Amino acid sequence: MNLVFLGPPGAGKGTMATRLADDLGVPHISTGDIFRAAVANATELGKQVKAIMESGGLVPDELTIALVEERLKESDTAKGYILDGFPRTIPQAEALDGFASIDHAVRFVLEEAELIKRLSGRRVHKPSGRTYHVEFNPPKVAGKDDLTGEPLIQRPDDQEESIRNRLEVYEEQTAPLVSYYADKGTMVTVDAAPKPDDVYASLKTALGL
Ligand code: ADP
Ligand code: ADP
């Protein structure tokens, strides 16, 4: 099954995508994770996107589209994949239709006050991308990754000013994708407000799994 996860920053897309990808045995392809790895490794791509990401803006379409098109050529996508954080603009969605066949877009819905709480309490284990929340999904030992014991960090774009900018960018550039996928008749909607296990159960039901 080829899936696109849609929804504002902080809705829980990454958390659900990690879990579903594991269960289905398909790759979780997060453009945010790919860009963060590039920044961490100071590659040419990383140098191009670092400042844009920190401010909460969007990486140019051309760059992002080329990256995803290449990623989808890899053999691990044969049985399906979950795209998390892509597409984020109408041109990205149109380009994706040219090189992929998407079975469902899954729309995660959560009100803004909750998004802000989730983003401001988010903590990540940088090497693995494992994500926690100081209140809603705390690690076993505060500030430490459960599996490795290594320190957790707060993403630079999870600081207040950048959060506000990202939510505005979402409304302007990404929210129009909801009608784009609704018009195709392949979109399912999931209430992202309940506890993670309950959101996961509705996600599976919505996909007929
Ligand atoms: P979140 O999960 O909080 O929505 P992501 O990890 O998906 O954030 O993305 C982090 C940042 O990476 C974005 O704010 C943006 O700068 C960049 N990015 C990720 N995906 C895309 C994309 N499809 N198009 C443009 N920029 C992107
Ligand atoms: P996104 O990828 O949509 O930006 P994440 O999956 O990174 O969102 O989740 C944002 C934050 O909210 C993380 O700190 C995560 O642990 C937490 N979170 C995810 N799902 C839930 C949930 N159902 N209830 C409460 N907190 C959640």
Side-chain angles (χ1 to χ4, degrees):
M1 190 155 25
N2 301 339
L3 299 174
V4 157
F5 277 15
L6 262 187
K13 302 179 298 296
T15 303
M16 292 302 136
T18 305
R19 203 162 154 178
L20 187 63
D22 232 40
D23 274 2
L24 297 179
V26 300
H28 166 205
I29 302 173
S30 156
T31 39
D33 285 350
I34 295 171
F35 289 139
R36 274 186 293 278
V39 171
N41 295 323
T43 64
E44 219 26 69
L45 174 68
K47 286 178 202 158
Q48 279 176 277
V49 303
K50 185 170 192 280
I52 300 174
M53 289 181 79
E54 284 182 2
S55 71
L58 292 184
V59 174
D61 282 338
E62 208 179 316
L63 205 68
T64 310
I65 291 165
L67 185 112
V68 173
E69 185 170 9
E70 282 311 301
R71 178 64 185 84
L72 292 185
K73 287 180 185 159
E74 287 179 32
S75 57
D76 64 344
T77 61
K79 276 192 352 191
Y81 48 81
I82 303 175
L83 283 174
D84 165 19
F86 180 93
R88 249 180 165 93
T89 64
I90 295 281
Q92 289 182 13
E94 288 171 348
L96 179 65
D97 282 337
F99 56 78
S101 164
I102 299 302
D103 298 300
H104 292 289
V106 183
R107 175 194 183 196
F108 291 88
V109 179
L110 190 66
E111 62 170 275
E112 185 168 306
E114 288 303 313
L115 294 172
I116 293 171
K117 277 193 220 163
R118 286 190 186 180
L119 291 170
S120 48
R122 173 159 67 184
R123 298 293 182 272
V124 293
H125 176 240
K126 225 175 159 186
S128 68
R130 271 186 290 281
T131 299
Y132 301 85
H133 190 282
V134 288
E135 189 184 338
F136 307 140
N137 178 28
K140 292 186 185 118
V141 177
K144 301 261 162 68
D145 177 50
D146 286 351
L147 295 190
T148 63
E150 288 166 356
L152 303 179
I153 57 136
Q154 181 172 34
R155 280 171 40 178
D157 59 347
D158 281 343
Q159 318 279 343
E160 197 186 327
E161 195 172 321
S162 184
I163 289 177
R164 251 185 283 119
N165 192 25
R166 284 158 68 209
L167 292 172
E168 273 172 32
V169 168
Y170 174 81
E171 280 310 321
E172 275 168 30
Q173 311 243 44
T174 310
L177 291 182
V178 172
S179 340
Y180 182 89
Y181 283 107
D183 290 349
K184 287 179 182 285
T186 52
M187 191 174 76
V188 299
T189 298
V190 171
D191 177 9
K195 290 186 192 318
D197 285 350
D198 297 334
V199 177
Y200 190 62
S202 348
L203 168 64
K204 287 187 86 167
T205 306
L207 292 172
L209 295 169

